[in-house]
C-alpha cells in the first residue's frame, strides 16, 4: 500500500485500532488458533533488544495462566497460510520458547504505516523501547512513509516537540549512542550533549556522566561550561567541586597582580 494511502488511515481509524487491539479484545471480535510457526515477526518492529528476564517472567505467567490476550496478526503478503505479527512480539517469543504448536490470534488487514505505528505505540505504552529505537521508528515513518512530525506525534500520542527531540538523538556521536543504548545515559543526558559540536568532547562528557552518575541538570551545567571555554576536568567527581569558567583577562587587575608579586 502506498504511503499516501497509509497516511489516510491515520487519525481516528488508527486510534480505534490501538484501543481495540492493544488494550483489550473488543466484544464480538473473533479469535482463531493458528500454528506458531506460521507467524513471522513484524518487519517494522522498532524494538531490537528483548531482556531475557522480561521474557522469563512472561513465559512463567503464560505457562501458569495461559495467554490472556491474543496476538494481532495480518495476512503475510504473497504467502498463503502465513501471517505477519502486528502486536505481541514478547508473547510470540514466549509461546515459542514454551513449545506451543498453536496460538490464539486476531487477524486484521492493516497497511505498512499502521503496522509500524501500532508496534511503536505498543512498545511506548509498555515503556519497552530505548530512546534510539523510538527515534529510529519515527525516522522510518518520516522517510519511508512521508509522515510529518505533526502526523507522527498525533499517531503515537506524543507532542510534536517530543518527536523532534527524539529524532535529533540520531545525530549524536556513535560513542554517545552506545551509552544511550546501554542505558548508561538517559535521553535527557543525550539531549544536553547535542549542544557539544566536537564528537570527541561529547563522548568524553558522556563517559564521565555515566561513570560519575551525573544528573541531567549537572550534564547541562557541564555542557554550558564547555561552551564558554571552561575546563570541565578530566577525572574525579564534579559534585561539590564544579569546574569554573576561565576568568576574563583584565589588564588593570593583571598590572596590580604583577606589582604585588
Amino acid at each position: 500500500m502506498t504511503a499516501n494511502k497509509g497516511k489516510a488511515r491515520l487519525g481516528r481509524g488508527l486510534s480505534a485500532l490501538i484501543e481495540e487491539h492493544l488494550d483489550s479484545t473488543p466484544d464480538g471480535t473473533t479469535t482463531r488458533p493458528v500454528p506458531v510457526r506460521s507467524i513471522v515477526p513484524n518487519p517494522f518492529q522498532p524494538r531490537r533488544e528483548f531482556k531475557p528476564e522480561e521474557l522469563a517472567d512472561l513465559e512463567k505467567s503464560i505457562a501458569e495462566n495461559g495467554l490472556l490476550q491474543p496476538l494481532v496478526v495480518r495476512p503475510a503478503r504473497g504467502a498463503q497460510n502465513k501471517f505477519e505479527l502486528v502486536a505481541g512480539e514478547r508473547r510470540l517469543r514466549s509461546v515459542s520458547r514454551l513449545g506451543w504448536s498453536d496460538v490464539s490470534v486476531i487477524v486484521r488487514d492493516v497497511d505498512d504505516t499502521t503496522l509500524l505505528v501500532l508496534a511503536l505505540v505498543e512498545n511506548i505504552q509498555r515503556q519497552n523501547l530505548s530512546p534510539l529505537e523510538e527515534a529510529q521508528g519515527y525516522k522510518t515513518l518520516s522517510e519511508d512513509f512521508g509522515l510529518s512530525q505533526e502526523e507522527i506525534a498525533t499517531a503515537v500520542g506524543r507532542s510534536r516537540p517530543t518527536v523532534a527531540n527524539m529524532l535529533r538523538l540520531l545525530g549524536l556521536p556513535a560513542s554517545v549512542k552506545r551509552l544511550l543504548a546501554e542505558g548508561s545515559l538517559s535521553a535527557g543526558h543525550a539531549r544536553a550533549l547535542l549542544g557539544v559540536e566536537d564528537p570527541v568532547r561529547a563522548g568524553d562528557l558522556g563517559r564521565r556522566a555515566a561513570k560519575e552518575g551525573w544528573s541531567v541538570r549537572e550534564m547541562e551545567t557541564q555542557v554550558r561550561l564547555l561552551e564558554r571555554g571552561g575546563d570541565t576536568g578530566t577525572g574525579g567527581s564534579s559534585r561539590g567541586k564544579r569546574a569554573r569558567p576561565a576568568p576574563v583577562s583584565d589588564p588593570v587587575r593583571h598590572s596590580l597582580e604583577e606589582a604585588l608579586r
Side-chain angles (χ1 to χ4, degrees):
M1 187 167 289
T2 65
N4 287 337
K5 288 183 180 178
K7 288 170 72 173
R9 294 278 305 269
L10 295 175
R12 292 183 61 185
L14 177 60
S15 299
L17 274 173
I18 294 168
E19 182 179 352
E20 290 177 2
H21 305 310
L22 299 188
D23 294 337
S24 62
T25 303
D27 294 338
T29 297
T30 302
T31 62
R32 55 180 279 198
V34 300
V36 171
R37 65 177 181 274
S38 71
I39 304 174
V40 297
N42 182 341
F44 298 104
Q45 170 61 251
R47 192 178 182 193
R48 294 290 177 260
E49 298 294 331
F50 292 83
K51 295 180 181 178
E53 58 271 22
E54 288 182 3
L55 291 176
D57 289 343
L58 182 57
E59 202 174 308
K60 181 179 178 182
S61 174
I62 291 174
E64 293 176 354
N65 307 305
L67 189 65
L68 302 180
Q69 185 179 18
L71 307 179
V72 182
V73 299
R74 74 173 183 177
R77 304 299 192 253
Q80 286 188 341
N81 300 320
K82 289 286 186 180
F83 303 90
E84 290 181 347
L85 188 67
V86 174
E89 178 87 22
R90 292 168 64 246
R91 280 169 280 155
L92 177 60
R93 287 175 180 243
S94 296
V95 299
S96 297
R97 286 160 59 100
L98 287 168
W100 285 23
S101 58
D102 297 308
V103 65
S104 183
V105 304
I106 299 170
V107 181
R108 283 287 178 267
D109 188 11
V110 298
D111 55 60
D112 290 349
T113 308
T114 306
L115 186 64
L116 174 54
V117 172
L118 284 169
L120 278 168
V121 172
E122 181 185 34
N123 282 291
I124 289 170
Q125 285 180 343
R126 290 163 174 75
Q127 299 181 332
N128 285 332
L129 289 180
S130 73
L132 288 177
E133 288 172 335
E134 186 174 342
Q136 188 60 53
Y138 296 158
K139 181 181 179 184
T140 301
L141 285 172
S142 174
E143 294 186 354
D144 293 357
F145 298 105
L147 269 64
S148 67
Q149 290 183 7
E150 192 67 45
E151 289 169 326
I152 295 171
T154 299
V156 301
R158 296 288 209 203
S159 68
R160 194 206 61 76
T162 297
V163 171
N165 285 329
M166 295 299 291
L167 285 168
R168 291 177 65 207
L169 297 180
L170 297 174
L172 287 165
S175 58
V176 177
K177 285 183 182 178
R178 188 160 50 249
L179 292 169
L180 187 57
E182 294 169 354
S184 301
L185 294 180
S186 70
H189 291 101
R191 280 194 294 272
L193 286 172
L194 287 167
V196 181
E197 294 183 1
D198 187 335
V200 175
R201 289 191 172 186
D204 289 342
L205 273 183
R207 284 187 288 273
R208 280 193 61 204
K211 181 180 180 181
E212 299 174 17
W214 290 358
S215 66
V216 173
R217 180 169 294 183
E218 187 161 7
M219 172 69 89
E220 292 170 346
T221 299
Q222 295 293 343
V223 169
R224 284 195 296 270
L225 289 173
L226 187 63
E227 289 174 340
R228 292 203 297 263
D231 182 7
T232 62
T234 55
S237 174
S238 62
R239 301 184 186 281
K241 191 173 66 175
R242 294 187 184 278
R244 294 188 180 126
V248 178
S249 177
D250 185 329
V252 176
R253 179 176 177 178
H254 180 69
S255 298
L256 288 171
E257 287 173 346
E258 286 294 320
L260 286 171
R261 277 199 293 271

